[in-house]
């Protein structure tokens, strides 16, 4: 296909998409201008039997049983499900899904393609593109026949006020207690927080941090990039963990930690210096 042909095809395709999108958003009485028939299939189901309607501010869909403040902006392509509660001045980006009975506090900004279920989100939070909050945790056990069986994941996630959650981060719902993220905590991109974890207030979790299930973390903690925390570990308040550290047991005292397994940073520095000296010694001996 020539360049001219490709350009003509692209223009026709864009016009067709625009026309079809307009068809989906127009009132039922004016849709005949494109397809000459009333909507059928998924759209009719969404707008009819499931009682979804177009939101006046932004064009997204909301369930008629949801409680949505009139100031909320729901972009085209976003969906708010039944019995959700959305506070004043919330912004919900295109492609985002607010699940049944989810609550969102005022002035929270939800970016594109985020998915919220089984959770509550506080005021003035920012949830970036692709974040998933409230899905099942990774919980399985082996039964007597040797089959892998899923453990029930029935509880929720509770996000505090002024929390920021980076793109493509995941926070699992609880199984024996709610998963909690405290006020003013900031979470970077690609962070995993397992089920039943409790994160304190004013913590900072940098990119690719992985927190296993049932971890309890105090306030004002900082986890640098790619820190890993073992399940059922307790970390004191005001702990700072260097990049690539691995926490395998409780950290009971405030301070700086590093290494795998994580130890106080001055101890880790001595260990690293000793390893360098031993390496140099071995090289000299092998060379002689």
């Amino acid at each position: 296909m020539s360049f001219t042909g490709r350009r003509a095809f692209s223009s026709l395709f864009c016009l067709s998409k625009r026309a079809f999108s307009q068809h989906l958003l127009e009132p039922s009485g004016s849709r005949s201008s494109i397809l000459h028939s009333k909507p059928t299939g998924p759209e009719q189901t969404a707008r009819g039997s499931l009682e979804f309607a177009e939101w006046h501010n932004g064009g997204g869909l909301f369930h008629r049983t949801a409680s949505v403040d009139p100031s909320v902006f729901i972009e085209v392509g976003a969906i708010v499900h039944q019995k959700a509660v959305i506070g004043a001045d919330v912004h919900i980006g295109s492609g985002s899904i607010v699940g049944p009975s989810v609550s969102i506090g005022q002035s929270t900004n939800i970016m594109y393609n985020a998915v919220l279920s089984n959770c509550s989100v506080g005021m003035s939070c920012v949830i970036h593109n692709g974040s998933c909050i409230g899905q099942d945790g990774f919980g399985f056990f082996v039964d007597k026949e040797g089959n892998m069986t899923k453990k029930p994941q029935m509880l929720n996630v509770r996000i505090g006020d002024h929390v920021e959650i980076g793109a493509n981060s995941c926070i699992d719902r609880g199984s024996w207690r709610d998963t909690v993220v405290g006020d003013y905590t900031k979470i970077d991109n690609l962070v995993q927080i397992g089920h039943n974890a409790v994160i304190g207030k004013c913590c900072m979790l940098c990119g690719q941090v992985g927190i296993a299930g049932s971890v309890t973390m105090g306030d004002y903690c900082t986890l640098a990039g790619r820190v890993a925390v073992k399940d059922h570990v307790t970390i004191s308040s005001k702990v700072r963990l260097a990049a690539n550290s691995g926490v395998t047991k409780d950290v009971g005292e405030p301070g700086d930690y590093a290494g795998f397994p994580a130890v106080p940073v001055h101890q880790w520095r001595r260990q690293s210096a000793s390893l360098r000296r031993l390496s140099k010694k071995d090289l000299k001996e092998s060379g002689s």
Side-chain angles (χ1 to χ4, degrees):
M1 184 183 292
S2 67
F3 174 78
T4 305
R6 287 197 300 269
R7 185 168 59 182
F9 176 81
S10 178
S11 300
L12 180 60
F13 179 73
C14 290
L15 286 171
S16 299
K17 283 183 67 180
R18 191 180 309 156
F20 186 70
S21 298
Q22 184 65 28
H23 162 72
L24 292 179
L25 295 175
E26 284 175 355
S28 59
S30 61
R31 291 174 184 159
S32 59
S33 60
I34 299 175
L35 298 181
H36 306 288
S37 63
K38 291 184 177 181
T40 58
E43 185 199 356
Q44 187 181 44
T45 302
R47 293 181 180 273
S49 61
L50 292 180
E51 296 186 351
F52 283 88
E54 183 178 307
W55 183 246
H56 70 277
N57 191 10
L61 295 180
F62 78 104
H63 197 275
R64 298 183 192 277
T65 63
S67 176
V68 184
D69 188 274
S71 63
V72 171
F73 192 93
I74 304 174
E75 291 186 10
V76 171
I79 302 176
V80 175
H81 282 266
Q82 59 267 29
K83 297 183 180 179
V85 178
I86 315 296
D89 299 316
V90 169
H91 186 116
I92 302 175
S94 294
S96 291
I97 307 296
V98 178
S101 302
V102 168
S103 66
I104 301 174
Q106 67 181 43
S107 301
T108 286
N109 190 0
I110 299 171
M111 304 295 191
Y112 304 132
N113 297 315
V115 179
L116 281 66
S117 57
N118 310 299
C119 68
S120 63
V121 180
M123 300 185 300
S124 301
C125 295
V126 179
I127 299 175
H128 287 279
N129 303 342
S131 296
C132 294
I133 301 173
Q135 64 283 340
D136 282 0
F138 191 70
F140 299 90
F141 65 90
V142 180
D143 63 19
K144 295 179 180 179
E145 288 73 34
N147 300 315
M148 195 71 73
T149 304
K150 187 177 180 67
K151 293 181 180 178
Q153 310 286 309
M154 302 297 292
L155 300 180
N156 300 308
V157 175
R158 293 188 283 117
I159 308 294
D161 299 333
H162 304 280
V163 172
E164 185 158 342
I165 299 171
N168 294 318
S169 291
C170 297
I171 305 176
D172 296 339
R173 69 190 297 198
S175 58
W176 62 269
R177 68 178 178 183
D178 287 346
T179 304
V180 177
V181 177
D183 296 346
Y184 291 95
T185 286
K186 310 300 181 185
I187 298 171
D188 198 358
N189 303 333
L190 298 169
V191 171
Q192 160 66 23
I193 298 177
H195 56 181
N196 314 313
V198 174
I199 311 299
K201 66 181 181 180
C202 298
C203 293
M204 294 187 65
L205 310 182
C206 298
Q208 298 187 26
V209 161
I211 297 177
S214 303
V215 167
T216 302
M217 184 182 300
D219 304 330
Y220 303 99
C221 291
T222 299
L223 277 60
R226 301 188 69 183
V227 167
V229 182
K230 179 182 175 293
D231 59 298
H232 295 274
V233 161
T234 297
I235 298 176
S236 171
S237 296
K238 299 181 180 180
V239 166
R240 298 194 301 178
L241 288 154
N244 294 308
S245 299
V247 180
T248 59
K249 59 183 180 179
D250 291 353
V251 179
E253 296 293 333
D256 297 340
Y257 294 78
F260 185 90
V263 294
V265 69
H266 57 83
Q267 182 180 340
W268 172 77
R269 287 169 179 158
R270 288 198 298 267
Q271 290 173 352
S272 299
S274 297
L275 286 172
R276 283 195 298 270
R277 286 195 296 269
L278 287 172
S279 297
K280 290 180 181 178
K281 182 178 179 182
D282 289 343
L283 286 173
K284 288 179 180 179
E285 292 177 351
S286 61
S288 60

